């Protein structure tokens, strides 16, 4: 008769136990640092951070530290992405210490390595691009850069642009011969409008005793009132010799559009939402424009209102409690 080890039953039980353990491990859920399905919710002021091996922050979303609290003291929630050298690359946040009117209002911004916002929306007005500023090219009309002797306003410079930034600024150089006065007007309108709004009027006078023309250089800044984002708008410069006989001149040195520097520069809302009183109060020249773009090009329809994230799925119905008593197992 073959010899049978005395512990054969113990060995069989141990083998069965090992098989059960291996079978259970094969059916285990993924590791706790891996999500294979469903969503993750971080709530009640929580945050998620990703750090480089040296501790440099690369990505963060959620509640910021107390330094970033809004002016009213509430905690700010946002997003920050940094390069591996620690310089900021992308943010959705507000600077609560900003002196501009947008303090406490979040901007979506892309940063260079020296801390400049190279692309961002305008926080003060909430409309259009804050950075970068965009050039506003002016084309000379017949009297632009030429001697003007007429006492009637003459069109000198004309710009046709899309409204991306909320504010425009123009630099003019105006000059008057001895004994003359040069008067200029900066005018603005939407391409879909037919009358010009006078933004500002300025002048320079040269005394009759002057031996040379007198020049004046100035910036003229104004919000792009009533303009929808990317709507076509016109800016026109006019000049005349208000007095004298030896002539005046108007030169356009440049222009660009930019972000708002404070609440006072926020443009009026688009024409479709203006009240009749505001429209009636706007100073306007009773004059028809030169017909460029009175029929404004069709703009793309506004983006649909974003729908909120769907509510989390409701937890499934809990499994019924097992009945008391003994039950068979898979063993």
């Amino acid at each position: 008769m073959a010899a049978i080890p005395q512990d054969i039953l113990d060995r069989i039980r141990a083998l069965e136990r090992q098989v059960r353990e291996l079978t259970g491990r094969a059916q285990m859920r993924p590791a706790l640092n891996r999500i294979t399905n469903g969503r993750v919710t971080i709530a009640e002021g929580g945050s998620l951070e990703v750090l480089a091996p040296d501790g440099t922050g690369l990505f963060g979303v959620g509640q910021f530290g107390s330094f970033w609290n809004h002016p009213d003291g509430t905690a700010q929630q946002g997003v920050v992405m940094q390069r591996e050298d620690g310089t900021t690359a992308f943010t959705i946040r507000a600077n609560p210490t900003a002196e501009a009117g947008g303090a406490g209002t979040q901007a979506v911004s892309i940063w260079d390595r020296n801390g400049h916002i190279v692309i961002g929306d305008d926080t003060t007005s909430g409309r259009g691009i804050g950075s970068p500023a965009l050039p506003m090219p002016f084309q000379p009309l017949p009297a632009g850069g030429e001697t003007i002797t007429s006492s009637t306003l003459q069109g000198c410079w004309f710009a046709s642009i899309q409204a991306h930034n909320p504010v425009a600024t123009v630099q003019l150089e105006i000059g008057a011969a001895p004994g003359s006065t040069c008067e200029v007007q900066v005018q603005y309108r939407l391409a879909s409008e037919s009358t010009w709004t006078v933004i500002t009027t300025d002048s320079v006078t040269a005394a009759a005793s002057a031996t040379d023309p007198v020049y004046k250089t100035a910036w003229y800044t104004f919000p792009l009132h009533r303009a929808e984002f990317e709507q076509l708008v016109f800016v026109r410069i006019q000049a005349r010799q208000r007095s004298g006989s030896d002539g005046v001149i108007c030169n356009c040195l440049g222009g660009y559009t930019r972000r708002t520097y404070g609440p006072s520069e926020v443009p009026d809302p688009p024409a479709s939402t203006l009240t009749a009183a505001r429209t009636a109060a706007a100073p306007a020249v009773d004059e028809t424009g030169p017909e460029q773009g009175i029929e404004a090009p069709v703009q793309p329809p506004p983006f649909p209102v974003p729908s909120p994230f769907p509510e989390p799925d409701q937890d499934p119905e809990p499994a019924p409690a097992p009945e008391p008593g003994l039950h068979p197992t898979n063993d």
Side-chain angles (χ1 to χ4, degrees):
M1 181 176 179
I4 299 176
Q6 296 297 318
D7 61 345
I8 186 64
L9 296 178
D10 293 334
R11 292 184 181 184
I12 292 174
R13 293 189 186 98
L15 182 59
E16 289 175 342
R17 184 170 59 252
Q18 292 175 359
V19 170
R20 285 195 300 268
E21 289 178 358
L22 291 174
T23 302
R25 290 178 180 177
Q27 297 177 355
M28 287 179 63
R29 295 180 178 179
L32 296 179
N33 62 353
R34 181 179 178 186
I35 301 169
T36 58
N37 194 9
R39 69 173 67 205
V40 175
T41 301
I42 300 176
E44 299 183 10
S47 63
L48 173 67
E49 298 180 8
V50 179
L51 306 180
D54 62 358
T56 301
L58 300 178
F59 174 78
V61 58
Q63 182 168 303
F64 292 168
S66 59
F67 171 81
W68 297 99
N69 283 358
H70 290 296
D72 63 2
T74 58
Q76 183 177 173
Q77 321 291 322
V79 178
V80 177
M81 298 177 65
Q82 297 186 159
R83 303 176 182 87
E84 62 180 0
D85 61 3
T87 57
T88 302
F90 173 85
T91 61
I92 302 177
R93 73 181 180 200
N95 183 358
T97 61
E99 297 179 359
T105 303
Q106 291 188 324
V108 178
S109 306
I110 297 177
W111 302 69
D112 68 9
R113 285 182 172 79
N114 290 319
H116 303 130
I117 298 177
V118 293
I119 300 176
D121 57 342
D122 189 78
T123 58
T124 309
S125 68
R127 294 164 57 187
I129 299 173
S131 295
L134 301 176
M136 182 165 53
F138 278 87
Q139 301 299 320
L141 299 177
E146 304 291 339
T147 300
I148 300 172
T149 56
S150 172
S151 60
T152 303
L153 287 169
Q154 306 292 307
C156 298
W157 302 91
F158 191 92
S160 173
I161 61 169
Q162 284 186 302
H164 290 100
N165 303 103
V167 177
T169 184
V170 181
Q171 188 179 35
L172 300 180
E173 178 190 60
I174 57 177
S180 300
T181 297
C182 178
E183 179 181 271
V184 295
Q185 278 190 353
V186 180
Q187 300 175 323
Y188 161 83
R189 71 177 176 91
L190 306 181
S192 57
E193 297 173 340
S194 59
T195 57
W196 292 91
T197 298
V198 177
I199 298 300
T200 189
T201 300
D202 202 358
S203 64
V204 63
T205 299
S209 59
T211 57
D212 296 303
V214 174
Y215 291 90
K216 177 180 181 179
T217 302
W219 287 96
Y220 306 95
T221 301
F222 52 96
L224 298 181
H225 291 305
R226 307 180 301 281
E228 295 277 7
F229 180 69
E230 291 189 339
Q231 187 172 5
L232 188 64
V233 300
F234 296 153
V235 178
R236 183 174 68 175
I237 312 300
Q238 291 190 313
R240 67 169 179 160
Q241 180 175 249
R242 192 174 66 188
S243 64
S245 58
D246 289 340
V248 297
I249 195 170
C250 175
N251 294 318
C252 181
L253 303 183
Y256 59 90
T257 58
R258 60 164 173 79
R259 66 180 177 89
T260 53
Y261 288 166
S264 62
E265 292 187 338
V266 174
D268 290 340
S272 58
T273 60
L274 283 175
T275 63
R278 176 175 290 179
T279 304
V285 178
D286 186 14
E287 177 184 4
T288 302
E291 297 185 357
Q292 291 104 327
I294 289 181
E295 300 297 330
V298 176
Q299 298 298 316
F303 290 106
V305 177
S307 58
F309 288 111
E311 292 296 325
D313 296 333
Q314 298 296 323
D315 292 334
E317 292 294 331
E323 297 180 0
L326 296 177
H327 300 278
T329 66
N330 293 330
D331 294 340

